[in-house]
Amino acid sequence: MEHIDYSVIIRTTGKAGAKYQALLDSIAGLEPQPKEVIVVLPEGYALPQEQLGWETFYFCPKGMVIQRMTGIAKCKTPYGLICDDDVSFGPDFVQKLYQPIAEGLCGLSAGPLYSFLPEKGGKALIAALCGGGVPTLFHRNRYCSVLNTTGYSYNRHLKPEKKKYYGAQSLAWTCFFADIQALRAIELEDEVWLDAHGYSAYDDQTMFYKAWLRNIKTIVVADATYVHNDAKTSTQNNKPAMLYSLHMNRIIFWHRFLYSTRKNPLAKLWVRLALCYRMCWLKAWNYADLLRHRYSKEDMALIKKAHKDAWSYVKSQAYRNLPPVCKE
């Protein structure tokens, strides 16, 4: 077995219970074992009852991104398995994810997570129509590609039997492996807007797409499968913050990573039209949800405020002071 000098870095609120225990059991079975297990909790939260007994615990202000980055900052090994508190995997999981990094093909790697893709049937059709999640017609050597609508195209038909690698511009960051220096070079801590609303929508897409723009490649290993048990600890009783963040951060992501990175006027126009297309469909769908009593008038007002605040933010001095996305 190849030696891998890595740590496991976990972001948690300590409330995932049996699902967190499943993660700990998976870590205990990993071959080879990690040098350290780093657990990051929000300040004021109690340690989880479920423990391995040899973790290192850290606390930081509450926030999905800042918790992630705190763990990465504390990591002393060259590599890290970074995960949420509700995933589980097999003993050879790290070996599979380490391989493309060891071969010099990428700085980040992950397994496919099909449960995060649009459900087959009507929901998948609606997602495609709205420009949110579109089955890929091109780039079949990729797992996910970011679209100008702020949505993504996806490849649900990877070939694990061939142990094939697929590129990715975005994926769910519930669990991934990384060269820690490459991960730090993304400088996700500069994206302070992600954690500003009590929920960090577009955090995963921001990290992986910013990595791609900085030529830090991500590879999905087709046979490195894992399970997301979805404890929903970040979304429970959090609908207003989640709704506001989703609609505000979508526009900020579009402006910072899609619109502002295009230099050609025609390319900028095309990206504008793509966002207009997405927003028109989303507006229609939101009104449909209002009629079906899935959204309230208060929800609709909150969405409207999120859009207004987003456009104000991208015109603000605070936004202009953000470090550039692409390094010179």
Side-chain angles (χ1 to χ4, degrees), residues 249-263:
N249 286 5
R250 177 185 292 116
I251 292 172
I252 298 171
F253 175 86
W254 172 85
H255 194 276
R256 181 157 166 76
F257 293 97
L258 298 174
Y259 180 76
S260 297
T261 56
R262 267 64 171 184
K263 304 305 178 185

Side-chain angles (χ1 to χ4, degrees), residues 131-197:
V134 182
T136 190
L137 297 175
F138 312 104
H139 304 302
R140 293 188 180 274
N141 60 335
R142 285 187 194 163
Y143 173 64
C144 281
S145 301
V146 173
L147 302 176
N148 289 333
T149 60
T150 71
Y152 59 93
S153 65
Y154 60 89
N155 183 356
R156 200 192 295 272
H157 304 290
L158 307 191
K159 298 177 180 178
E161 69 279 1
K162 294 184 179 180
K163 295 186 178 180
K164 189 173 178 180
Y165 296 157
Y166 294 80
Q169 291 183 335
S170 178
L171 51 85
W173 72 340
T174 49
C175 187
F176 64 97
F177 195 78
D179 177 317
I180 294 298
Q181 291 305 316
L183 193 54
R184 289 172 179 161
I186 300 168
E187 298 178 314
L188 190 65
E189 64 274 10
D190 289 341
E191 311 307 321
V192 293
W193 51 276
L194 286 167
D195 264 345
H197 327 296

Side-chain angles (χ1 to χ4, degrees), residues 3-237:
H3 173 72
I4 307 172
D5 190 5
Y6 76 103
S7 300
V8 176
I9 302 167
I10 305 169
R11 173 183 68 180
T12 185
T13 59
K15 299 179 180 180
K19 295 176 180 180
Y20 185 54
Q21 184 62 56
L23 169 61
L24 298 183
D25 293 343
S26 294
I27 293 170
L30 281 172
E31 299 173 0
Q33 280 284 284
K35 181 169 287 187
E36 185 179 18
V37 176
I38 297 167
V39 183
V40 184
L41 295 104
E43 292 170 350
Y45 280 62
L47 297 181
Q49 294 182 354
E50 304 80 10
Q51 295 184 22
L52 288 167
W54 52 281
E55 305 95 322
T56 305
F57 293 98
Y58 294 96
F59 293 88
C60 70
K62 188 176 182 180
M64 296 166 74
V65 175
I66 192 172
Q67 279 182 252
R68 188 73 92 206
M69 300 313 296
T70 296
I72 292 164
K74 299 296 183 182
C75 183
K76 301 180 182 69
T77 54
Y79 304 101
L81 177 65
I82 298 94
C83 53
D84 285 348
D85 58 4
D86 54 1
V87 299
S88 54
F89 35 75
D92 60 351
F93 186 61
V94 164
Q95 296 177 47
K96 291 177 178 179
L97 295 183
Y98 173 69
Q99 199 57 43
I101 296 179
E103 293 173 14
L105 301 176
C106 62
L108 312 172
S109 63
L113 189 58
Y114 301 113
S115 62
F116 263 51
L117 303 180
E119 292 180 25
K120 293 181 180 180
K123 290 186 177 180
L125 179 61
I126 291 166
L129 195 63
C130 295
V134 182
T136 190
L137 297 175
F138 312 104
H139 304 302
R140 293 188 180 274
N141 60 335
R142 285 187 194 163
Y143 173 64
C144 281
S145 301
V146 173
L147 302 176
N148 289 333
T149 60
T150 71
Y152 59 93
S153 65
Y154 60 89
N155 183 356
R156 200 192 295 272
H157 304 290
L158 307 191
K159 298 177 180 178
E161 69 279 1
K162 294 184 179 180
K163 295 186 178 180
K164 189 173 178 180
Y165 296 157
Y166 294 80
Q169 291 183 335
S170 178
L171 51 85
W173 72 340
T174 49
C175 187
F176 64 97
F177 195 78
D179 177 317
I180 294 298
Q181 291 305 316
L183 193 54
R184 289 172 179 161
I186 300 168
E187 298 178 314
L188 190 65
E189 64 274 10
D190 289 341
E191 311 307 321
V192 293
W193 51 276
L194 286 167
D195 264 345
H197 327 296
Y199 186 82
S200 306
Y202 280 81
D203 50 357
D204 44 7
Q205 186 160 304
T206 295
M207 194 197 84
F208 288 103
Y209 192 64
K210 187 176 182 182
W212 183 78
L213 289 172
R214 292 190 169 189
N215 203 33
I216 300 169
K217 295 180 181 179
T218 301
I219 279 180
V220 170
V221 181
D223 66 335
T225 55
Y226 70 101
V227 176
H228 180 231
N229 296 302
D230 201 2
K232 297 185 182 295
T233 53
S234 64
T235 59
Q236 289 173 348
N237 305 314

